[in-house]
């Protein structure tokens, strides 16, 4: 019976070749139902972009960038002007702090750059500043020896000074006691001097040709009655105190690229002087474009600047007390020297940095020109000055902006 059962199962079981064929047929049907062939993965849903879709997206992004780029550029330029005003504010504060700590005047030395024809003269050229130094009055000089003195004579050195025989020669004693002075003051440099460390200050200059030191002017005749150097050298003359001109110190402040201080519209007082600064000669670093000194008490002292003397057709360098608030117009260098309607004075994105004369306080305000002000085409000199006056008046009446 058992043999009969095994025979029946063997009779029902298909041959091996038939089973292999059936398996292959089954796999083939399954692969076709999945849309592929045996050994290939079935296709999945698409999860990327076509090339055309990507090109459309890129084109839209480019259009948006092109549309917003001018506004972004304008915003960056405006931020540079504001940053320039902040840096100028900081440097003014630093100068005032140094004057208070040293007890000597300290301020800002503005270096000018000429726009336009290098051989031209105002009003056909303009000037601006992109570089500012700290500057201070060096310690006073009183000779190399404790007994150093000076006797003042006429310009020939053989008689007392009179109003008719100036400038007056300075004769130092003992001989050689002024050796240090010859290295501190170069030929052509000016200085101030007073005697016995009291009384008024007299202006002096070292002669370019002889190298001698002369007093050029003062409130009175310089003192001369205390002996004669040739006959009584041991006791003749007076002790003295020489105050030299301001000297630049440290590394300069370079204003952010694309900004400058427009010297054509900067100056002091609403109706006062404008700074027309000549380009500094190569070997004349002792001549600033504009020099503002603060006293140890914080107020504005002397203002020195190079300006154009149209009567004599030459540049002069006056040093005077500021006759009002000092105004600096911070703008863009490409607008310097342009006609009024295209200048920094007409640019509402320019900023005024104004320094109070009595207190040294600094405010930064927007430039808000009066576009309703009647102007000819082109504006006359009087109209341009009146337009500038209104802009300065508006500047000192505004609230302090974030540039302070």
């Amino acid at each position: 019976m058992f043999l009969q059962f095994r025979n029946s199962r063997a009779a029902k079981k298909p041959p091996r070749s038939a089973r292999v064929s059936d398996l292959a047929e089954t796999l083939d049907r399954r692969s076709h139902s999945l849309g592929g062939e045996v050994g290939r993965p079935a296709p999945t849903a698409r999860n990327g972009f076509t090339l055309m879709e990507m090109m459309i997206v890129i084109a839209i992004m480019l259009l948006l960038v092109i549309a917003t780029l001018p506004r972004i550029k304008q915003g960056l330029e405006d931020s540079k002007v504001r940053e320039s005003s902040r840096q100028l504010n900081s440097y003014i504060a630093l100068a005032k702090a140094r004057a208070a700590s040293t007890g000597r005047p300290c301020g800002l030395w503005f270096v000018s750059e000429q726009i336009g024809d290098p051989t031209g003269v105002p009003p056909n050229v303009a000037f601006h500043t992109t570089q500012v130094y700290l500057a201070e009055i060096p310690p006073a000089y009183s000779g190399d020896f404790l007994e150093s003195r000076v006797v003042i004579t006429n310009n020939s050195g053989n008689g007392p000074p009179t109003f008719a025989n100036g400038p007056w020669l300075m004769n130092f004693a003992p001989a050689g006691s002024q050796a240090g002075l010859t290295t501190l003051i170069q030929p052509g440099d000016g200085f101030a001097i007073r005697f016995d460390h009291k009384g008024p200050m007299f202006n002096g200059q070292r002669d370019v040709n002889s190298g001698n030191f002369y007093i050029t002017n003062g409130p009175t005749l310089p003192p001369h009655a205390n002996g004669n150097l040739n006959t009584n050298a041991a006791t003749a003359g007076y002790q003295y105190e020489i105050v030299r001109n301001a000297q630049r110190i440290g590394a300069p402040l370079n204003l952010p690229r694309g900004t400058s201080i427009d010297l054509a519209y900067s100056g002091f007082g609403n109706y006062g002087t404008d700074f027309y600064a000549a380009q500094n000669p190569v070997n004349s670093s002792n001549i600033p474009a504009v020099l503002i000194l603060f006293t140890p008490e914080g107020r504005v002292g002397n203002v020195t600047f190079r300006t154009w003397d149209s009567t004599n057709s030459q540049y002069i360098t006056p040093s005077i007390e500021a006759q009002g608030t000092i105004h600096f117009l911070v703008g863009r260098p490409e607008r310097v020297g342009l006609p009024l309607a295209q200048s920094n004075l007409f640019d509402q994105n320019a900023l005024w940095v104004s320094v109070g004369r009595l207190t040294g306080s600094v405010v930064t305000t927007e430039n808000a020109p009066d576009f309703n002000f009647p102007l000819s085409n082109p504006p006359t000199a009087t109209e341009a000055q009146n337009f500038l006056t209104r802009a300065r008046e508006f500047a000192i009446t505004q609230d302090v902006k974030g540039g302070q």
Side-chain angles (χ1 to χ4, degrees):
M1 185 176 178
F2 177 74
L3 180 60
Q4 184 180 1
F5 177 74
R6 290 187 62 181
N7 290 338
S8 64
R9 288 187 61 186
K12 292 180 181 180
K13 186 175 181 179
R16 182 178 181 85
S17 60
R19 293 201 305 272
V20 173
S21 178
D22 291 343
L23 179 60
E25 184 178 352
T26 300
L27 292 175
D28 186 61
R29 285 197 304 269
R30 288 182 178 179
S31 67
H32 282 291
S33 67
L34 294 174
E37 297 181 0
V38 178
R40 295 186 180 182
T44 58
R46 181 169 59 86
N47 58 0
F49 297 100
T50 65
L51 179 60
M52 182 60 67
E53 290 172 337
M54 294 183 64
M55 291 180 66
I56 292 174
V57 172
I58 293 174
I60 294 174
M61 293 177 64
L62 287 175
L63 290 175
L64 292 175
V65 170
I66 293 173
T68 58
L69 187 59
R71 294 186 178 182
I72 295 175
K73 183 179 179 181
Q74 182 68 35
L76 291 175
E77 291 178 350
D78 293 345
S79 66
K80 286 183 178 180
V81 172
R82 187 170 297 281
E83 178 61 23
S84 185
S85 71
R86 288 193 185 100
Q87 292 183 7
L88 183 59
N89 270 275
S90 299
Y91 241 50
I92 292 174
L94 182 60
K96 292 167 62 178
R98 186 175 178 87
S101 64
T102 62
R104 302 190 307 272
C106 182
L108 300 186
W109 179 306
F110 298 83
V111 180
S112 71
E113 298 176 14
Q114 182 169 325
I115 301 295
D117 183 3
T119 62
V121 297
N124 299 320
V125 294
F127 303 91
H128 70 150
T129 290
T130 61
Q131 194 175 71
V132 184
Y133 285 86
L134 282 178
E136 68 178 1
I137 300 295
Y141 175 84
S142 298
D144 293 353
F145 310 134
L146 291 177
E147 64 274 18
S148 296
R149 301 177 311 283
V150 64
V151 171
I152 308 302
T153 64
N154 60 17
N155 52 24
S156 300
N158 56 9
T162 66
F163 282 110
N165 59 19
W168 305 288
L169 180 65
M170 299 170 57
N171 304 270
F172 295 94
S177 63
Q178 80 286 8
L181 188 62
T182 59
T183 62
L184 297 176
I185 299 180
Q186 301 302 311
D189 287 354
F191 57 90
I193 183 174
R194 63 179 177 179
F195 302 94
D196 281 347
H197 305 283
K198 61 185 179 181
M201 300 293 291
F202 294 83
N203 295 322
Q205 186 175 34
R206 187 178 181 189
D207 187 70
V208 175
N209 298 317
S210 65
N212 292 331
F213 294 86
Y214 290 88
I215 294 179
T216 55
N217 58 70
T220 63
L221 275 175
H224 61 281
N226 191 16
N228 187 306
L229 184 63
N230 296 327
T231 59
N232 193 9
T235 59
Y238 299 85
Q239 292 184 331
Y240 59 92
E241 181 180 356
I242 290 180
V243 179
R244 291 174 284 155
N245 292 334
Q247 305 292 319
R248 301 191 312 199
I249 56 175
L253 165 67
N254 293 302
L255 299 181
R257 185 182 297 273
T259 65
S260 68
I261 300 172
D262 194 332
L263 294 177
Y265 299 111
S266 300
F268 49 82
N270 296 341
Y271 307 92
T273 303
D274 304 328
F275 298 140
Y276 282 123
Q279 185 176 11
N280 289 341
V282 176
N283 295 319
S284 297
S285 59
N286 60 328
I287 303 177
V290 180
L291 173 63
I292 297 177
L293 292 176
F294 296 94
T295 67
E297 296 75 27
R299 66 179 180 86
V300 177
N302 277 9
V303 179
T304 303
F305 56 98
R306 300 197 73 187
T307 191
W308 181 248
D309 180 4
S310 57
T311 302
N312 299 308
S313 297
Q314 63 180 5
Y315 287 104
I316 57 175
T317 309
S319 182
I320 59 177
E321 291 189 1
Q323 305 299 312
T325 301
I326 303 171
H327 300 280
F328 293 101
L329 183 59
V330 182
R332 299 185 177 88
E334 62 268 19
R335 290 180 174 268
V336 176
L338 294 181
L340 182 62
Q342 290 85 44
S343 68
N344 282 307
L345 188 59
F346 241 68
D347 184 7
Q348 291 180 302
N349 296 311
L351 294 174
W352 287 102
V353 176
S354 302
V355 185
R357 175 174 61 92
L358 297 179
T359 62
S361 60
V362 185
V363 296
T364 300
T365 55
E366 289 182 345
N367 180 42
D370 184 1
F371 293 110
N372 296 320
F373 186 81
L375 294 172
S376 305
N377 189 16
T380 65
T382 301
E383 290 174 340
Q385 183 61 46
N386 290 338
F387 189 88
L388 173 61
T389 297
R390 289 201 176 195
R392 288 183 179 177
E393 288 176 343
F394 182 84
I396 63 175
T397 60
Q398 299 309 297
D399 293 334
V400 178
K401 290 185 65 63
Q404 182 171 1

